[in-house]
Amino acid sequence: MSVKSVTAVAPGKINVYLRVGPLGEDGYHTVATIYQAVSLFEEVTVTESDDFSVRFSGPIDTSHLKVDESNLVIRAARAVAAASGFAGGARLDVVKSVPIAGGMGGGSADAAATLVAVDALWGTNLGAARLSEIAATLGADVPFALHGGTALGLGRGDVLSPVMAKSALHWVLVVNEEGLSTPDVFHQLDRHREEHSIEIETVAVDPAVDAELLLALRTGDAAALAEHLRNDLQAATLQLMPSLGETIEFGETHGALAGIVSGSGPTIALLAADENSATHLAATLVANGRKAMCVSAPVQGARVM
Ligand code: C5P
């Protein structure tokens, strides 16, 4: 008898806008963020099995990733089994292309691809709304990896509304060998805010998004968007990894309209005027010894192939 398997993909993301409110009692900060899914994908193949296991492969080094029950993809698959009453398991094979601990939601994309893949493999048909609820229990960025496109995230980043983004934007990602831990970056921001509470603007309890940024996305005006990119985690990320400041500056003096730290970093997202300019910028960065790649955005969320 042949063994059934299903393959799904889910995109990595960048945050073109991220305002961070105060730390709540649940250990999370309220945020107002605009996510954009980019054309760099994680691929997960799930195969019928009696128990749960995960293996990683792909173009990036995955040797240090834990493959025990604490792994987010196993937790994602188990959550679908629990929600549907399904009694079996699955072997989960993940091909990773999104940088690990890079601020691009790679682990969240793995979880989102796993949710749709096991739901299809097992025929549990939980539906988009239920999968999205499960996604939010796995991590703040997981619902967005399911959803894809361009979206506003409120709450922890998991309360999503779609945002109109008409035409394709071209980004150059500059990837770092070393990763940064998301909790470490949020802690650094809290420390910085405590130490500089007099100088910095009052932290909004309910952060909101910039209307001009939404307009720039709607009209596909890259030059206007460049004026309104914002990431409140950027200062904290640069304190933990000062060399990133040079990367942004290098990008901005070699053709990027603007550069920003993606999420909690350390990946840098450089916005290009068009596809040609992105290709040229990436080549310049690579010639300068940096690891860079071109992506376009927005792209669809998690889907079965
Ligand atoms: O939900 P996720 O596992 O992605 O979050 C990782 C950590 O990042 C949280 O435990 C928290 O420390 C921090 N975080 C936060 N506020 C958010 C999202 C994440 O403080 N909105």
Side-chain angles (χ1 to χ4, degrees), residues 52-64:
F52 290 88
S53 60
V54 59
R55 287 189 310 202
F56 290 98
S57 62
I60 53 180
D61 178 19
T62 56
S63 56
H64 62 287

Side-chain angles (χ1 to χ4, degrees), residues 15-18 171 229-231 234 248 252 258-262 267-270:
N15 302 75
V16 301
Y17 188 87
L18 175 55
W171 297 89
L229 299 177
R230 169 173 176 158
N231 181 358
Q234 180 154 316
I248 294 177
E252 289 180 343
I260 193 169
V261 168
S262 172
T267 304
I268 301 295
L270 300 168

Side-chain angles (χ1 to χ4, degrees), residues 1-8 44-55 77 86 88-94 113-114 117-122:
M1 204 181 79
S2 66
V3 182
K4 249 186 16 183
S5 55
V6 168
T7 297
V44 179
T45 299
V46 301
T47 306
E48 286 178 325
S49 175
D50 293 336
D51 48 17
F52 290 88
S53 60
V54 59
R55 287 189 310 202
F86 182 79
R91 198 184 81 209
L92 312 160
D93 288 290
V94 183
T114 301
V118 292
D119 190 44
L121 178 75
W122 298 334

Side-chain angles (χ1 to χ4, degrees), residues 23 27-31 108 138-141 155-157 182-183 186-187:
L23 175 64
Y28 278 81
H29 297 73
T30 49
V31 301
S108 300
L138 297 167
D141 295 344
R156 296 172 168 194
T182 302
F186 274 102
H187 291 155

